Amino acid sequence: MFPDINGIETPAFASLQQHAETWKTQHMRALFDQDPTRFDRFSFHQEGMLVDFSKHMITDETLTLLTDLAASCQLKEAMDALFSGEPVNRTENRAVLHTALRDQSDRMVVVDGEDVKPAIRQVLEKMRLFCNEIHAGIRTGADGRSYTDVVNIGIGGSDLGPAMVCEALKPFHKKGIRVHFVSNVDATHLVECVQDLDPATTLFIIASKTFTTQETMTNARSAKQWFLESGMQEEDIARHFVAVSTALQEAQAFGIDPDNIFGFWDWVGGRFSLWSAIGLSIMLAIGADGFDSLLNGAYAVDEHVRTAPLNKNIPVIMGLLGWWYNQFFEARTHAVLPYDQYLEKFPAYLQQADMESNGKRIDRRGKEVSYPTGPVVWGAPGTNGQHAFYQLIHQGTQLIPCDFIVPARSQNPLGDHHAILLSHCLAQSEAMMKGKTAEEVREELEHSGMTEEEIQFQLPYRVFPGNIPSTTIIVPECNAFQLGQLIALYEHKIFVQGVLWNVFSFDQWGVELGKKLAAKILPEISGRKEPSGHDGSTIGLIKEVLRLRS
Ligand code: F6P
């Protein structure tokens, strides 16, 4: 049974609340000065990856109390329920089994009395065959030429994960094939993408779990139209359009050859679906073996999560730390700062994974929560962010925990670029943790020969309080295996936090209202129906658009 306990009801909560008070006067700097083993004790290795938690506002006592809290929330039991296929997505009455998609063990995973793993293997095999044939030039476009471009049409989980992974693994792409992603219903996205493509060497993947998502279906229809208007024939569609969906009949009704439909299952959540056939674009980009490595990296983390004790469990600690800052330090946002240009899309991917999961206000008992839940997740690659928003992290008034992610080796070794990048990454986490005291500022200013009067004016502006917590994740290089690990770490972190907050992390009812209202506004804004039944602002805006378009 999935537990139903939230963190604030556990015995550890009161102790943590008291313990949090000690951090009003404690500084991480002092803890590092007192304890030369702090880095070793609070950092963890996992299959080549190092995760350093030592620059967090924690002591041994903090970690013990936090893991006590997790244990009281029956986190281990919740994980077992997740891994074993219990319907943990209660409001949709579904299991949540992205872990089964990458499970390399012999264990069965049973849903509704049936082991799901043979079907997973079957689809993977079908994907592998399809991609291998394309890479080998055996499967070609209608005129016999090899495909040069793949366009994935999807949105949300059917776009962000594959787009992020394809970008992150660009150095590992197969030669001769380019992968593009079209998600926005703004026609600009599709038009800009296809304008330089040759339809005879382009393969469209229509990726939609439901095959009803308005944006995706609109883009898919327009892509088909572009294809036919560019001189291709109806009978060519079978060789140029494939689908990835749980809705096989809808995909077929769209005109996709049943042999070209890659299925998956309702127990794969959209934002956790890149490991399923939704990853077809990834496999086309990096090959079947590369996709296997991605799955293997995630599986390694799944095994770690399943077996490591709570106080050595990396995603559990990540989740607990987020909970700690959110609950006691009013940290309402979390910055993800990859120092790797290839990970540019990682923060955007995580936004959906995290915010669609834990952006919830009703607990698992149907009651409104009395505590903060999911934070705003945001970020951009370093060093760019340093010249944009880091000022607020260093000297603003809110506490923003940060994750620094950096590969030790660059895929593009060029002069001292990577050493500079690394130096900035490590310097930022050091600066956030240490800050700069008034004494240090004074000494610096005195040394520069500044007058006492000017020093007194300048000094407060140049002090950094520090004590800003950060996790640093170092990977040897950003390859498929390490990326699989990285993504899985965050997926599990999100799950852990959902348990601590006692919310259902796997539904997303909040996105429905806007969709319904848009359906009502569409005929009104198209001039087919008189606007009615809206608030004054919305009516006014509709009328202004109608006026400007008339
Ligand atoms: O609107 C939100 C959402 O349902 C996401 O959860 C999902 O990833 C996305 O839309 C796309 O859905 P689909 O894959 O069914 O087109």
Side-chain angles (χ1 to χ4, degrees), residues 13-33:
F13 183 78
S15 315
L16 272 163
Q17 200 163 22
Q18 262 186 358
H19 180 71
E21 290 295 307
T22 64
W23 276 98
K24 289 198 172 139
T25 51
Q26 197 155 216
H27 204 287
M28 279 187 263
R29 250 185 196 229
L31 295 181
F32 273 102
D33 290 345

Side-chain angles (χ1 to χ4, degrees), residues 426-437:
L426 302 192
Q428 286 299 326
S429 73
E430 186 174 21
M432 285 178 189
M433 184 277 286
K434 280 189 175 162
K436 195 167 180 184
T437 63

Side-chain angles (χ1 to χ4, degrees), residues 155-158 208-211 213 216 270-271 352 356 508 511 515:
I155 198 166
S158 301
S208 174
K209 179 174 170 179
T210 54
F211 230 76
T213 303
T216 299
R271 51 194 174 272
Q352 188 206 11
E356 206 169 72
Q508 57 284 320
V511 301
K515 288 184 193 174

Side-chain angles (χ1 to χ4, degrees), residues 419-450:
I420 294 173
L421 183 78
L422 282 161
S423 70
H424 278 288
C425 177
L426 302 192
Q428 286 299 326
S429 73
E430 186 174 21
M432 285 178 189
M433 184 277 286
K434 280 189 175 162
K436 195 167 180 184
T437 63
E439 294 72 44
E440 285 168 338
V441 176
R442 168 168 285 283
E443 200 186 316
E444 201 176 277
L445 296 184
E446 280 174 355
H447 194 74
S448 74
M450 200 177 270

Side-chain angles (χ1 to χ4, degrees), residues 185-207:
V185 75
D186 182 341
T188 302
H189 207 175
L190 180 67
V191 170
E192 284 288 338
C193 173
V194 297
Q195 66 185 355
D196 295 326
L197 300 187
D198 178 349
T201 59
T202 298
L203 176 71
F204 288 95
I205 302 174
I206 315 302

